[in-house]
């Protein structure tokens, strides 16, 4: 399969495959008053394990859900019963919100057969497919991490590119936050954007919980002045929707896309970071 997505029909037909694991990677913004883990326990796709985006992360930093060390990731997902050679199908209960972050994380650590469920949990439920409750426990597995250093960039790299415009920086936050017209939801962050960055709000990339068609994405990026043939760095508030943006760019034809993991949670608080509005 060349698409990053599988359909609900495909998943229903393969749920019992021994080499397949389903992963609920739901995560919600604090202002939604939703508890992803509680919702998982109340009902999820049969056999799905819960991937805690905030828990399977670098806990030594105060930045939210940063990538953990490869060995820590391998230990955490191995305990969930996920091996690097399995077919991994990730979904979330919004449709296409946090699943891309987990999908990207598995890919960044070397999983080669990782996909997202098209339409996610909402589509599965709308088709009245089976749901089960409770915690799923799988036998421990061995995940051999192979970290892709090209998938992610840090503060210093982004600052260098922002200063000399040597790589396109694209921000997925809503336009009012990008332009400094609305406050950041996290305390202590300045308002505005990374110098020489371009705004493509994630809300423009999806429709009814699915990624928009490739031709529409290509038109959108062209209208925003994004050159898909040149290297791109994506950013957002905390590294969640930056991945959805990276996914959309790749689907539109970009081949050199990296995610700024710290995103505005880091940049907006960093004393050495220049801010534009």
């Amino acid at each position: 399969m060349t698409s990053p997505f599988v359909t609900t029909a495909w998943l229903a037909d393969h749920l019992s495959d021994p080499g397949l694991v389903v992963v609920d990677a739901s995560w919600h913004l604090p202002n939604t008053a939703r508890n992803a883990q509680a919702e998982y326990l109340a009902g999820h796709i049969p056999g799905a394990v819960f991937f805690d985006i905030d828990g399977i992360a670098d806990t030594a930093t105060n930045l939210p859900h940063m990538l953990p060390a490869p060995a820590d990731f391998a230990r955490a997902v191995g305990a969930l019963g996920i091996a690097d050679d399995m077919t991994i199908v990730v979904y979330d209960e919004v449709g296409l919100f946090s699943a891309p972050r987990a999908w990207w994380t598995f890919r960044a650590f070397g999983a080669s057969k990782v996909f997202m469920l098209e339409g996610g949990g909402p589509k599965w439920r709308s088709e009245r497919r089976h749901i089960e409750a409770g915690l799923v426990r799988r036998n421990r597995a061995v995940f051999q991490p192979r970290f892709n250093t090209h998938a992610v960039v840090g503060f210093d790299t982004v600052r260098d590119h922002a200063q000399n415009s040597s790589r396109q920086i694209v921000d997925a936050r809503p336009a009012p936050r990008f332009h400094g017209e609305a406050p950041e939801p996290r305390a202590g962050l300045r308002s505005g954007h990374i110098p020489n960055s371009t705004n493509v709000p994630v809300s423009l990339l999806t429709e009814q919980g699915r990624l928009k068609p490739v031709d529409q994405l290509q038109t959108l990026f062209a209208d925003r002045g994004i050159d898909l043939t040149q290297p791109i760095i994506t950013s957002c508030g905390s590294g969640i929707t930056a991945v959805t943006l990276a996914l959309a760019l790749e689907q539109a034809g970009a081949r050199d896309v990296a995610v700024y993991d710290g995103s505005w949670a880091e940049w907006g608080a960093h004393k050495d970071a220049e801010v534009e509005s």
Side-chain angles (χ1 to χ4, degrees), residues 14 48 69 86 152 158 167 178 196 204 213 217 240 245 248 256 261 266 271:
H14 291 82
M86 288 179 172
V152 60
V158 176
R167 188 164 183 166
F178 179 85
N196 297 311
L204 301 180
L217 294 175
I240 299 289
L245 176 55
D256 188 352
D261 201 17
E266 179 177 43
K271 61 182 179 62

Side-chain angles (χ1 to χ4, degrees), residues 113-223:
K113 296 181 291 185
V114 55
F115 306 93
M116 290 166 286
L117 181 63
E118 188 175 50
K123 188 171 188 297
W124 183 273
R125 293 171 185 271
S126 72
E127 295 168 347
R128 301 185 182 277
R129 297 187 186 273
H130 185 57
I131 295 292
E132 69 177 17
L135 181 66
V136 172
R137 297 185 184 277
R138 296 171 53 91
N139 292 331
R140 183 178 292 271
V142 176
F143 191 102
Q144 299 282 0
R146 299 177 301 280
F147 185 56
N148 177 9
T149 58
H150 299 292
V152 60
V153 293
F155 175 83
D156 290 337
T157 299
V158 176
R159 181 173 57 179
D160 290 344
H161 288 298
Q163 290 173 345
N164 59 33
S165 301
S166 55
R167 188 164 183 166
Q168 300 167 100
I169 302 171
V170 189
D171 191 324
R173 290 177 300 155
R177 288 170 59 190
F178 179 85
H179 293 294
E181 299 165 351
E184 287 296 308
R186 287 181 173 80
L189 299 183
R190 293 170 291 170
S191 296
H193 59 263
I194 299 169
N196 297 311
S197 60
T198 301
N199 186 215
V200 180
V202 72
S203 61
L204 301 180
L205 307 175
T206 62
E207 195 168 47
Q208 296 181 337
R210 302 185 197 180
L211 204 61
K212 287 184 177 179
V214 168
D215 60 339
Q216 293 184 27
L217 294 175
Q218 291 172 333
T219 298
L220 170 64
F221 293 133
D223 289 346

Side-chain angles (χ1 to χ4, degrees), residues 228-275:
L228 300 178
T229 69
Q230 297 300 311
I232 300 169
I233 295 170
T234 64
S235 181
C236 64
S238 67
I240 299 289
T241 57
V243 177
T244 306
L245 176 55
L247 166 67
L249 285 161
E250 289 181 359
Q251 291 299 287
R255 290 294 173 262
D256 188 352
V257 183
V259 173
Y260 174 25
D261 201 17
S263 285
W264 197 255
E266 179 177 43
W267 191 275
H270 205 293
K271 61 182 179 62
D272 294 327
E274 183 181 350
V275 172

Side-chain angles (χ1 to χ4, degrees), residues 90-113:
V90 185
Y91 75 97
D92 67 54
E93 289 291 356
V94 174
L96 190 69
F97 179 58
S98 55
R101 173 71 190 195
W103 167 82
W104 172 79
T105 300
F106 276 107
R107 290 176 75 209
F109 285 114
S112 60
K113 296 181 291 185

Side-chain angles (χ1 to χ4, degrees), residues 67-87:
L67 285 178
D72 293 336
F73 178 81
R75 189 179 309 111
V77 298
L80 291 175
I82 305 173
D84 56 291
D85 61 350
M86 288 179 172
T87 298

